[in-house]
């Protein structure tokens, strides 16, 4: 892998390798863009097949956070960390405290949070060495479990998508097919049920499915049948890449809006949905409630303030649809454009400010 060529092509700012022999720490911090503010992105721990795979994952995820934070209206850039190792067997206190010292050394340029393979307890250990960490225990002033907030944001985004697809943001009487009934999706189901939507659910966890049936009167179907059910809205809330060559021909939904990451297997599938007239809601815009919530911790967490900010996901999703219509492009491209336009506006503003400052100084 030609690292500098890759970084130049996608305009990355910094790539750091962190090693601590005693604890076994092998971490890679990727900082993509800090135009809007410090880079915020979680720490993932995973058993990568190679160091190159770990580098590529860190870079890819960091860029994704730049777009997610920008689209959410946050004054934060994008970054990500990957720790190479088995999260089940190779964690120790020294590892995360050593990593915390590396973060502290960046002096606020990068702020971390939990991700796949890491926990609140891991973040607490990092917090022993630095304040540049979110998602810590509520005892330290954190927001706690982010799932309900993420779910509320998805619910708000789904209402915006319904307005685009059906002319009204009311979900009463709409049939929503929910794939996956984990923590986020279960809370989403509660919001939908309370508004009067009919739910069709599936999950490999049969207990989770039964709980949704019992509490919300949901209809249960087998995992492979969720794509072909008669519904108004398909809500992917489990694995990524469920929108693909095999599933698109089966889908009857007019709207796609769910919590899962990386819902499109490939960008060509976003193009195909656009051609078919399906309203696809880009995942990193609609599921940004979690990052909005932890970002509020940077100002001293206030739940009411955070929830008001999460409500703006409705406006952000609506803006994506506006750009899609304006430029006649698929919504996944419109989401990228919305993020890029915001970053570019601030970049130009800062450049103009520096130029004006130079002119003022040169006249003195």
């Amino acid at each position: 892998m030609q690292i500098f060529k890759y970084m130049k092509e996608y305009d990355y700012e910094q790539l750091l390798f962190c090693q601590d022999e005693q604890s076994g720490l092998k971490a890679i911090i990727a900082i993509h863009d800090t135009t809007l503010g410090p880079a915020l992105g979680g720490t993932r721990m995973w058993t990568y097949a190679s160091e190159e795979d770990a580098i590529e994952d860190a870079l890819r995820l960091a860029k994704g956070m730049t777009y997610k934070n920008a689209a959410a209206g946050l004054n934060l850039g994008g970054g990500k960390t990957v720790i190479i190792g088995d999260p089940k067997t190779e964690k120790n206190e020294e590892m995360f405290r050593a990593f915390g010292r590396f973060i502290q050394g960046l002096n606020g340029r990068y702020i971390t949070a939990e991700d796949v393979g890491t926990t609140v307890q891991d973040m607490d250990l990092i917090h022993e060495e630095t304040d540049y960490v979110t998602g810590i225990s509520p005892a330290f002033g954190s927001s706690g479990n982010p799932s309900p907030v993420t779910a509320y944001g998805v619910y708000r985004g789904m209402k915006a998508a319904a307005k685009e697809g059906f002319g009204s943001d009311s979900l009463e009487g709409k049939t929503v097919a929910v794939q996956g009934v984990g923590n986020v999706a279960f809370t989403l189901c509660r919001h939908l049920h309370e508004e009067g939507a009919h739910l069709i659910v599936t999950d490999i966890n049969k207990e989770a499915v039964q709980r949704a049936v019992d509490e919300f009167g949901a209809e249960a179907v087998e995992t492979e049948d969720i794509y072909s059910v008669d519904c108004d809205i398909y809500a992917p809330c489990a694995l990524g890449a469920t929108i693909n060559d095999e599933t698109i021909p089966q889908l009857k939904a007019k709207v796609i809006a769910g919590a899962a990451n990386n819902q499109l297997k490939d960008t060509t599938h976003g193009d195909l949905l656009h051609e078919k007239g399906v309203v696809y809601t880009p995942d990193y815009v609609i599921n940004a409630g979690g990052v909005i919530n932890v970002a509020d911790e940077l100002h001293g967490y206030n739940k009411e303030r955070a929830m008001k900010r999460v409500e703006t996901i409705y406006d952000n999703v609506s803006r994506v649809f506006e750009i899609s219509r304006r430029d006649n492009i698929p919504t996944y491209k419109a989401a990228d454009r919305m993020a890029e336009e915001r970053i570019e506006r601030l970049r130009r503003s800062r450049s103009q400010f520096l130029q004006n400052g130079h002119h003022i100084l040169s006249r003195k």
Side-chain angles (χ1 to χ4, degrees):
M1 180 182 184
Q2 295 177 291
I3 292 176
F4 275 106
K5 182 180 179 181
Y6 188 100
M7 291 178 69
K8 182 179 180 181
E9 182 178 358
Y10 298 104
D11 199 21
Y12 285 83
E13 294 180 8
Q14 199 169 7
L15 187 65
L16 301 99
F17 296 86
C18 311
Q19 187 273 149
D20 181 70
E21 184 177 1
Q22 180 177 338
S23 66
L25 174 71
K26 294 184 179 68
I28 300 162
I29 303 173
I31 297 176
H32 177 248
D33 189 288
T34 58
T35 302
L36 297 177
L40 173 67
T43 293
R44 175 170 296 192
M45 188 169 182
W46 195 253
T47 51
Y48 292 95
S50 68
E51 291 180 358
E52 184 174 277
D53 285 351
I55 294 168
E56 288 183 357
D57 203 29
L59 290 166
R60 177 182 62 82
L61 293 167
K63 184 181 179 185
M65 288 307 302
T66 293
Y67 281 75
K68 186 167 193 167
N69 292 337
L74 299 172
N75 295 317
L76 294 164
K80 205 79 172 187
T81 294
V82 299
I83 295 177
I84 300 172
D86 188 336
K88 294 180 180 178
T89 62
E90 298 184 61
K91 287 183 181 180
N92 57 68
E93 178 183 357
E94 295 84 358
M95 173 183 289
F96 288 100
R97 293 193 65 162
F99 179 56
R101 292 191 291 273
F102 282 111
I103 294 175
Q104 181 65 20
L106 291 170
N107 200 31
R109 182 170 168 77
Y110 168 67
I111 303 161
T112 198
E114 65 181 283
D115 200 281
V116 175
T118 60
T119 65
V120 171
Q121 291 70 33
D122 299 330
M123 297 306 109
D124 287 348
L125 291 173
I126 293 171
H127 184 56
E128 293 288 336
E129 303 289 344
T130 183
D131 288 331
Y132 301 121
V133 55
T134 60
I136 53 180
S137 296
F140 297 119
S142 166
S143 55
N145 179 11
S147 296
V149 185
T150 302
Y152 183 66
V154 174
Y155 167 67
R156 292 288 300 166
M158 186 181 290
K159 287 178 71 65
K163 186 173 184 180
E164 181 70 14
F166 307 113
S168 167
D169 68 5
S170 173
L171 298 173
E172 184 177 4
K174 293 288 186 291
T175 298
V176 184
V178 183
Q179 182 192 47
V181 201
N183 292 333
V184 171
F186 188 82
T187 305
L188 171 64
C189 286
R190 175 175 285 112
H191 289 302
L192 297 174
H193 175 68
E194 288 174 352
E195 192 170 332
H198 171 64
L199 299 170
I200 302 174
V201 300
T202 194
D203 197 298
I204 57 173
N205 183 341
K206 299 306 179 185
E207 291 182 5
V209 170
Q210 191 59 48
R211 188 178 170 207
V213 171
D214 293 341
E215 295 201 26
F216 310 129
E219 175 188 345
V221 298
E222 295 299 321
T223 54
E224 65 272 14
D225 294 333
I226 194 69
Y227 308 108
S228 59
V229 298
D230 286 318
C231 65
D232 301 296
I233 300 170
Y234 167 57
C237 296
L239 299 175
T242 64
I243 302 170
N244 53 54
D245 288 335
E246 293 182 6
T247 61
I248 289 176
Q250 300 180 56
L251 291 173
K252 297 181 175 67
K254 170 71 174 177
V255 170
I256 298 175
N261 289 312
N262 305 314
Q263 295 170 17
L264 302 175
K265 186 172 183 181
D266 188 84
T267 55
T268 57
H269 299 117
D271 298 329
L272 184 56
L273 292 176
H274 181 66
E275 292 168 8
K276 290 169 69 70
V278 176
V279 177
Y280 168 65
T281 315
D283 43 49
Y284 70 78
V285 181
I286 194 173
N287 69 13
V291 72
I292 292 172
N293 194 52
V294 297
D296 194 81
E297 294 178 22
L298 302 174
H299 309 288
Y301 185 67
N302 180 290
K303 184 176 182 179
E304 182 178 354
R305 180 178 62 201
M307 294 303 287
K308 284 186 178 297
R309 192 67 182 266
V310 170
E311 287 182 2
T312 65
I313 288 176
Y314 184 106
D315 302 318
N316 298 338
V317 168
S318 299
R319 175 65 178 151
V320 168
F321 297 140
E322 289 173 12
I323 294 172
S324 176
R325 291 194 301 271
R326 180 193 76 189
D327 299 345
N328 192 27
I329 56 175
T331 53
Y332 77 90
K333 289 184 178 178
D336 287 354
R337 192 161 293 179
M338 179 174 74
E340 290 162 355
E341 287 177 354
R342 181 168 180 247
I343 292 168
E344 186 56 33
R345 284 196 303 271
L346 188 57
R347 187 175 284 133
R348 287 198 303 267
S349 174
R350 284 184 173 172
S351 177
Q352 188 64 43
F353 177 80
L354 291 172
Q355 289 177 15
N356 291 342
H358 174 74
H359 294 325
I360 292 169
L361 288 172
S362 61
R363 288 199 298 269
K364 289 185 177 179

